[in-house]
């Protein structure tokens, strides 16, 4: 007799999404989370915490607050649909506001470009920095990316994992329009001439941890969800999304146990899941959903039968998406200074974008001249920093860990200085302005989140077959075991992992 219908391992966004859908369908759910709080990679940190190092010896009495993982939220409709499944309205749980401008882009030649929700505003800036043809090219690119979304959405994003059979649902004449054979960059340069615009549009490859010079042009679909759909921010911070999912889980009767690391997934001799072992005790269920990195499940949680061992080796050999180097900075505001004004989302571009990705993916090294992303939630939520200060989340793409090529222990402090100096070269002088700071290397990200090799978005998307190779949401070796989260279909990112929970839940519900 099972204790629960379904046990979910991990209260990341994907795990909570699956829990909401299964509980809304009447299942008895146990959600086990090894950390103190749900959210997984979506986490928050406050400077009052003991871990913060103060560069100026301040005690931390005035509090900064940062979101640690995701900062850019797109695809509002995915969140609305999740709450609707449970008979609720998103706006009763989250105040998801559009961000304007979507992002402010800074180039090394001093060019500044705001990409806005307001298309005419964006187009007039594109005309200023480029030429009239690029205005038409940008519009044609937006239509092209929207078309890819229309064609691929039902097969690759919003439904069960793609198979050769499901791919055949795409009408024959539409297939070339999915553009799988060019690279993202190859397609982008056919639309716009400005190197600034090419760099800007190529950047969307990094939303799945890839390179625009390697990833298939199909991934230009990511630009559609941001440029046509907009960027959103939940008032109070990104972590409000995790809290909203948690609240809904609790309202639906999901039993959440935190500080509970699952030690083993229990499997019968004939290959059926039986439950999990946690704190040395067996807890039984008809199904188990793992919201843990799939490579880790095969490595650490499943019995090593021949079939599982074979899959484990395959998963460990797969190329990971990129990782990140993060600086959390408490910064004195620069009101009145002559430097460039930052907004909520800011990108400081490298000079040679191709070289940057060659270093990350080809050489496994940190780029000499990185593109730097800075998110400042205190622009929207003043109380995220003490008066006269701001909370900066600084992110640079980094190679995933592979044990040898980049020695973070030796090089982290120097790389931190390189990032600060690069910002200075862009006119953003942080001398004497940093009052609190904390650094996260890929090894820290791996340690904190369980992400295999510190990869932010699971396996690499730098390959046109990646969508087919990504682990399915149903385990092939153990009956009754399912997967959700960024390392499984449809991929990484907050809306996508929310959808992965939907796919896993639908598979379970159709089992009975
Ligand atoms: C630095 C960074 C920046 C990012 N930026 C963005 C962004 O701007 N926009 C965006 O959409 N996405 C972004 N992402 C990606 C996004 O955060 C993830 O795709 C998403 O949050 C992952 O959710 P998940 O469901 O895969 O679960 P995870 O967040 O991976 O959570 C898995 C959970 O399982 C728990 N767990 C693991 N092992 C066990 C065990 N044995 N027993 C019990 N519990 C266990 C973990 O503690 C964790 O809580 C970013 C990620 C990072 C790290």
């Amino acid at each position: 007799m099972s204790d629960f219908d379904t046990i979910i391992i991990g209260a990341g966004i994907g795990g909570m999404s699956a829990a909401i859908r299964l509980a809304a369908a009447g299942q008895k759910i146990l959600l086990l989370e090894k950390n103190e709080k749900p959210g997984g990679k979506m986490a928050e940190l406050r400077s009052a915490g003991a871990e913060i190092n103060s560069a100026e010896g301040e005690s931390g009495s005035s509090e900064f607050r940062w979101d640690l993982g995701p900062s850019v939220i797109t695809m509002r409709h995915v969140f609305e649909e999740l709450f609707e499944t449970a008979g609720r309205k998103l706006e009763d749980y989250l105040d998801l506001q559009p961000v304007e401008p979507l992002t402010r882009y800074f180039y090394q030649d001093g060019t500044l470009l705001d990409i806005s929700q307001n298309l005419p505003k964006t187009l007039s800036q594109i005309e200023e920095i480029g030429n009239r043809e690029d205005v038409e090219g940008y519009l044609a690119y937006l239509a092209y990316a929207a078309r890819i979304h229309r064609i691929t959405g039902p097969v690759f994003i919003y439904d069960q994992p793609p198979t050769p059979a499901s791919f055949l649902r795409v009408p024959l004449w539409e297939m070339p329009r999915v553009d799988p054979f060019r690279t993202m960059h190859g397609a982008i340069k056919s639309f716009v001439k400005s190197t600034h615009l090419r760099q800007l549009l190529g950047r969307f490859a990094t939303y799945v941890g890839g390179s625009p010079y390697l990833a298939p042009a199909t991934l230009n679909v990511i630009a559609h969800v941001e440029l046509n759909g907009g960027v959103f921010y939940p008032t109070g911070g990104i972590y409000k999304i995790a809290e909203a999912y948690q609240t809904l889980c609790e309202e639906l009767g999901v039993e959440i146990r935190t500080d509970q690391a699952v030690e083993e997934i229990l499997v019968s001799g004939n290959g059926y899941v039986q439950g999990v072992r946690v704190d040395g005790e067996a807890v039984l269920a008809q199904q188990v959903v793992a919201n843990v990195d799939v490579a880790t499940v095969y490595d650490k949680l499943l019995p090593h039968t021949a079939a599982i061992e074979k899959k484990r080796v395959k998963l460990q050999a797969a190329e990971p998406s990129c990782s990140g180097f993060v600086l959390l900075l408490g910064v004195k505001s620069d009101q009145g200074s002559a430097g460039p004004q930052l907004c909520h989302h800011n990108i400081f571009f490298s000079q040679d974008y191709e070289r940057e990705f060659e270093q990350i993916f080809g050489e496994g090294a940190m780029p000499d001249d990185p593109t730097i992303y800075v998110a400042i939630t205190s622009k929207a939520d003043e109380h995220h920093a003490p008066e006269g200060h701001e909370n900066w989340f600084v992110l640079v793409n980094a190679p995933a860990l592979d044990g040898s090529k980049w020695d973070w222990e030796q090089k982290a402090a120097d790389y931190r200085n390189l990032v600060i100096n690069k910002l200075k070269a862009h006119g953003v002088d942080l001398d004497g302005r940093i009052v609190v700071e904390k650094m996260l290397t890929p090894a820290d990200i791996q340690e904190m989140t369980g992400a295999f090799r510190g990869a932010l978005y699971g396996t690499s998307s730098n390959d046109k077959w990646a969508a087919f190779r990504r682990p399915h949401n149903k385990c092939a070796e153990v009956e009754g075991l399912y997967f959700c989260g960024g390392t499984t279909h449809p991929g990484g990112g907050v809306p996508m992992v929310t959808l992965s929970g939907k796919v896993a839940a639908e598979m379970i519900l159709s089992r009975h």
Side-chain angles (χ1 to χ4, degrees):
M1 186 57 191
S2 298
D3 304 312
F4 294 90
D5 292 313
T6 303
I7 292 175
I8 299 176
I9 311 171
I13 294 298
M16 289 195 283
S17 162
I20 288 168
R21 289 167 200 279
L22 291 170
Q27 285 209 353
K28 189 176 176 203
I29 306 293
L30 173 64
L31 183 49
L32 294 166
E33 168 53 52
K34 77 173 168 55
N35 291 342
E36 198 186 322
K37 285 169 81 180
K41 296 187 181 78
M42 184 184 287
E44 65 177 352
L45 186 72
R46 292 173 190 271
S47 62
E51 291 171 29
I52 289 290
N53 310 313
S54 169
E56 287 189 351
E58 289 190 1
S59 65
S61 55
S62 40
E63 191 174 73
F64 289 91
R65 179 215 166 272
W66 297 271
D67 284 305
L68 287 187
S71 54
V72 178
I73 299 300
T74 56
M75 301 173 82
R76 183 191 168 98
H77 60 98
V78 170
F79 304 99
E80 282 169 347
E81 195 258 353
L82 174 67
F83 282 80
E84 274 164 23
T85 307
R88 308 296 208 277
K89 282 195 182 132
L90 174 70
E91 51 273 29
D92 292 337
Y93 293 78
L94 267 183
D95 179 29
L96 211 49
Q97 291 293 329
V99 179
E100 177 60 27
L102 306 182
T103 308
R104 178 162 289 170
Y105 292 91
F106 299 89
Y107 297 86
Q108 294 194 2
D109 63 2
T111 301
L112 187 152
L113 179 58
D114 279 350
I115 292 293
S116 168
Q117 266 285 258
N118 177 326
L119 187 59
K121 220 166 157 180
T122 300
L123 295 179
S124 73
Q125 288 194 56
I126 289 176
E127 192 168 345
E128 250 173 58
I129 66 147
N131 54 47
R132 287 214 179 132
E133 275 175 52
D134 273 348
V135 171
E136 287 162 36
Y138 182 77
L139 286 170
Y141 175 82
L142 291 185
Y144 152 87
R147 191 187 314 125
I148 297 179
H149 181 258
R150 175 178 60 73
I151 301 169
T152 60
V155 180
F156 290 102
I157 304 175
Y158 300 105
D159 206 345
Q160 307 283 313
T163 58
S166 65
F167 193 58
L168 289 176
R169 291 206 312 260
V170 177
L172 214 54
W173 68 88
E174 297 260 56
M175 285 202 184
R177 305 169 99 186
V178 172
D179 209 359
F181 298 113
R182 289 191 288 182
T183 62
M184 274 181 86
H185 177 73
I188 289 165
K189 71 180 191 192
S190 73
F191 286 98
V192 292
K193 290 204 169 61
S194 149
T195 51
H196 289 350
L197 267 185
R198 287 177 179 177
Q199 199 166 9
L200 188 154
L201 298 174
R203 177 188 161 246
F204 290 105
T206 65
Y207 281 33
V208 288
S211 158
Y213 303 95
L214 299 170
T218 314
L219 289 184
N220 283 304
V221 67
I222 304 166
H224 163 74
V225 300
E226 176 159 325
L227 299 176
N228 291 325
V231 173
F232 299 88
Y233 173 73
T235 303
I238 301 288
Y239 191 68
K240 290 284 173 201
I241 299 177
E243 287 180 344
Y245 282 25
Q246 181 183 356
T247 303
L248 186 49
C249 279
E250 286 165 353
E251 284 177 11
L252 295 169
V254 174
E255 184 176 336
I256 304 179
R257 295 186 199 159
T258 53
D259 286 319
Q260 295 270 286
V262 168
E263 291 139 12
E264 187 186 347
I265 296 172
L266 303 172
V267 183
S268 69
N270 58 352
Y272 280 77
V273 86
Q274 293 180 307
V276 300
R277 189 161 54 77
V278 58
D279 273 347
E281 304 262 324
V283 188
L284 304 184
Q286 289 176 27
Q287 291 90 206
V288 171
V289 179
N291 180 213
V292 183
D293 199 312
V294 179
T296 306
V297 175
Y298 279 81
D299 193 30
K300 301 256 160 52
L301 298 182
L302 283 174
H304 282 197
T305 61
I308 287 169
E309 181 59 14
K310 194 171 163 204
K311 180 68 99 28
R312 184 186 77 84
V313 170
K314 192 173 156 200
L315 287 166
Q316 300 219 335
E319 189 198 8
S321 61
C322 72
S323 186
F325 173 68
V326 175
L327 295 174
L328 304 169
L329 305 178
V331 170
K332 283 183 191 152
S333 309
D334 68 342
Q335 236 73 12
S337 92
Q341 292 304 303
L342 276 62
C343 48
H344 190 143
H345 299 289
N346 310 274
I347 286 285
F348 296 88
F349 269 128
S350 60
Q351 186 64 31
D352 184 343
Y353 212 32
E354 192 160 4
R355 176 74 191 128
E356 184 180 346
F357 286 100
E358 253 170 44
Q359 288 194 288
I360 295 172
F361 289 103
E363 298 167 20
M366 286 304 286
D368 306 322
D369 179 16
T371 292
I372 303 166
Y373 166 68
V374 181
I376 310 173
T377 64
S378 58
K379 297 279 184 194
D381 270 316
E382 276 179 15
H383 61 280
H384 285 179
E387 205 182 331
H389 293 76
E390 293 177 336
N391 63 340
W392 288 26
F393 168 91
V394 180
L395 173 69
V396 172
N397 292 319
L401 296 169
D402 69 0
S404 66
K405 288 188 190 150
W406 188 265
D407 183 349
W408 278 108
E409 275 189 27
Q410 290 281 322
K411 297 181 180 176
D414 285 347
Y415 203 78
R416 174 258 182 219
N417 293 338
L418 180 144
V419 172
I420 301 293
N421 287 333
K422 285 284 164 194
L423 287 171
K424 194 171 186 171
H426 275 279
V428 181
D429 192 349
L430 288 171
D431 280 354
R433 289 176 56 203
I434 301 174
V435 297
V436 171
E437 81 175 272
K438 184 175 172 67
M439 187 163 62
L440 300 175
T441 66
D444 296 321
I445 291 174
Q446 174 170 257
E447 166 74 23
M448 286 165 60
T449 69
F452 184 62
R453 292 179 166 194
L456 303 187
Y457 302 94
T459 49
S460 164
S461 296
N462 285 342
D463 174 329
K464 56 178 167 296
W465 303 112
F468 292 100
R469 291 210 187 107
R470 191 169 286 127
H472 278 210
N473 307 74
K474 184 175 188 306
C475 177
E477 294 80 14
V478 179
E479 183 61 34
L481 175 61
Y482 298 83
F483 301 113
C484 65
T487 57
T488 186
H489 169 79
V494 178
M496 301 295 261
V497 300
T498 298
L499 289 170
S500 78
K502 176 182 180 182
V503 171
E506 283 175 351
M507 284 177 164
I508 288 173
L509 295 173
S510 67
R511 195 177 178 217
H512 298 282

